Amino acid sequence: MRKIGILFERQSDIMSNSDATEETHYHWRETEEVEAVATNLTALGYDVDLIGTLDNLLERWRQNQLPEFIWNLSVRTTSRNRTALAPAILEQLGIPYTGGDTTVKSLTLNKDFLKPVLQWRGILTPPWCRYGVGEEIVNLPLWKKCILKPACEGYSLGLQVWEVSTGLSELQNQVKQLHQQFQAAVLCEQFIPGREITVGVVGNDAPVFIGAVETVTTEGAVMQEQVLDLQAKRRGGFGKINVDLSLPELQKLKDVTLDLMQLFKPLDYATFDFRVSADNFSASNQAYLLDINADATLHPERSLAQIALQNGLSYRDLIEVILQTSLKRWN
């Protein structure tokens, strides 16, 4: 196997839709990410075909020009099935690919389905309620501060903060706005103040490596009450620092991540977002799983690449271990 095709959507692919806005469609792969993956695959001795969208892939199929293997970076937009489309089509075409399959991509994207699975597994996640499209909200949530977000989006799209002091009508207005923007159920989730930690892992049957970074303010302080919504991510002002998962207060994060890697395998690689509550962050503090990113970014300056570097792996090493992890399961 020498030829690898890369599936991805550019900004122009996503924003060509007349209804597209950055607030609802921010799903494209950054040019730096695609170029970094392609450049390092080439350096590893592979012929790289920048296929782009699923439409381009199907055109390759019609022309009988399919590659032997696909590096899947496709996430699409505006559908609760969007991340599952590429693996479903690739399975039908009989082409092996990197990353999770249709089932795991769909489950991890749809948080209203994921959360009951986490509860069944005995994994702590913030308490929540679900507001379906058109559902009347007649009662206030039990929590003073909540996160409102579409049930099947990523990159903090649509994420808003609601506080009980603003009242029921404001809650109804915010949820109605999200329903109109995303045409999807909305989760109302208790806000957990504390540390925000991302765990990254590569592997299926056993982890090739695992590590973590913590998001902190420009002063290096814990996030506590701050929220990483889309505006905050665009604005910047946050840093990432390495953290040691062997510390007693963080061991639970490692255990949860490895448990879910086994439950959901094959994933090949993923990141897991946690909030660790309380002020002194002792071993008794609670670690809440917020999200599983089965389509984690491979941008060389983002979390997974930084975690790999923490484990003594260059970016090229990261690309190689992901590829070898994926090839092993297909073989």
Side-chain angles (χ1 to χ4, degrees):
M1 192 275 292
R2 302 311 306 168
K3 188 170 185 178
I4 298 177
I6 303 181
L7 279 183
F8 61 96
E9 291 85 27
R10 297 182 176 88
Q11 183 176 1
S12 58
D13 299 320
I14 300 297
M15 299 303 290
S16 60
N17 187 316
S18 60
D19 297 329
T21 67
E22 289 194 0
E23 286 71 24
T24 57
H25 288 68
Y26 204 126
H27 290 301
W28 58 84
R29 294 290 184 170
E30 295 173 271
T31 300
E32 295 84 357
E33 178 183 5
V34 177
E35 289 182 349
V37 173
T39 298
N40 284 277
L41 286 174
T42 300
L44 291 168
Y46 296 95
D47 296 326
V48 175
D49 181 3
L50 293 175
I51 294 174
T53 65
L54 283 175
D55 288 340
N56 293 346
L57 174 72
L58 293 175
E59 184 60 32
R60 295 281 205 287
W61 169 70
R62 283 188 283 267
Q63 296 175 5
N64 197 27
Q65 295 178 351
L66 291 173
E68 301 166 84
F69 189 88
I70 288 290
W71 193 289
N72 180 27
L73 296 177
S74 174
V75 294
R76 309 287 288 180
T77 61
T78 60
S79 166
R80 71 178 189 174
N81 304 306
R82 59 185 178 81
T83 57
L85 293 175
I89 291 172
L90 291 168
E91 287 182 21
Q92 177 64 23
L93 295 176
I95 306 174
Y97 55 89
T98 60
D101 64 8
T102 301
T103 299
V104 73
K105 285 292 185 75
S106 185
L107 179 59
T108 54
L109 176 67
N110 290 272
K111 300 170 184 63
D112 49 344
F113 300 151
L114 174 64
K115 277 176 163 289
V117 173
L118 297 178
Q119 283 192 330
W120 160 73
R121 198 69 173 181
I123 293 171
L124 196 62
T125 186
W128 83 99
C129 54
R130 178 187 189 273
Y131 302 129
V133 176
E135 180 180 338
E136 184 180 4
I137 304 173
V138 295
N139 295 310
L140 290 172
L142 300 175
W143 319 292
K144 293 182 178 181
K145 185 174 182 179
C146 300
I147 297 294
L148 300 175
K149 58 187 177 183
C152 53
E153 287 297 338
Y155 202 65
S156 300
L157 292 186
L159 189 149
Q160 300 178 17
V161 177
W162 174 84
E163 298 191 31
V164 70
S165 59
T166 63
L168 180 61
S169 61
E170 180 59 26
L171 174 65
Q172 293 168 334
N173 290 335
Q174 287 185 249
V175 171
K176 181 179 179 180
Q177 180 188 41
L178 289 173
H179 282 159
Q180 291 173 342
Q181 283 183 300
F182 295 95
Q183 293 300 305
V186 170
L187 289 190
C188 177
E189 189 177 72
Q190 181 183 5
F191 175 70
I192 307 296
R195 301 172 70 179
E196 182 137 337
I197 296 176
T198 298
V199 178
V201 61
V202 174
N204 287 312
D205 293 324
V208 178
F209 73 82
I210 183 170
V213 291
E214 179 175 359
T215 301
V216 295
T217 68
T218 50
E219 295 79 22
V222 169
M223 290 291 288
Q224 286 289 27
E225 296 288 338
Q226 297 199 54
V227 177
L228 273 177
D229 57 15
L230 181 60
Q231 290 71 30
K233 288 182 176 179
R234 288 182 184 169
R235 187 170 58 247
F238 297 95
K240 304 270 188 191
I241 59 172
N242 294 336
V243 293
D244 184 357
L245 289 177
S246 66
L247 295 173
E249 66 267 27
L250 300 181
Q251 181 64 44
K252 185 64 175 179
L253 280 63
K254 184 176 181 179
D255 294 342
V256 166
T257 298
L258 294 179
D259 178 54
L260 290 175
M261 284 294 289
Q262 287 298 307
L263 177 65
F264 292 142
K265 70 180 181 183
L267 272 172
D268 292 347
Y269 67 98
T271 57
F272 299 73
D273 296 331
F274 292 87
R275 276 269 181 164
V276 181
S277 67
D279 297 323
N280 56 0
F281 307 120
S282 68
S284 62
N285 295 143
Q286 301 289 347
Y288 294 83
L289 180 60
L290 304 181
D291 201 5
I292 301 173
N293 304 296
D295 57 337
T297 178
L298 294 174
H299 191 293
E301 296 180 4
R302 303 289 188 264
S303 295
L304 190 59
Q306 185 172 341
I307 291 167
L309 191 62
Q310 171 188 336
N311 280 264
L313 299 174
S314 68
Y315 184 81
R316 184 166 302 168
D317 294 333
L318 172 63
I319 296 303
E320 185 172 19
V321 297
I322 290 174
L323 180 60
Q324 295 305 319
T325 297
S326 185
L327 290 175
K328 180 180 178 182
R329 70 178 172 94
W330 288 106
N331 289 335

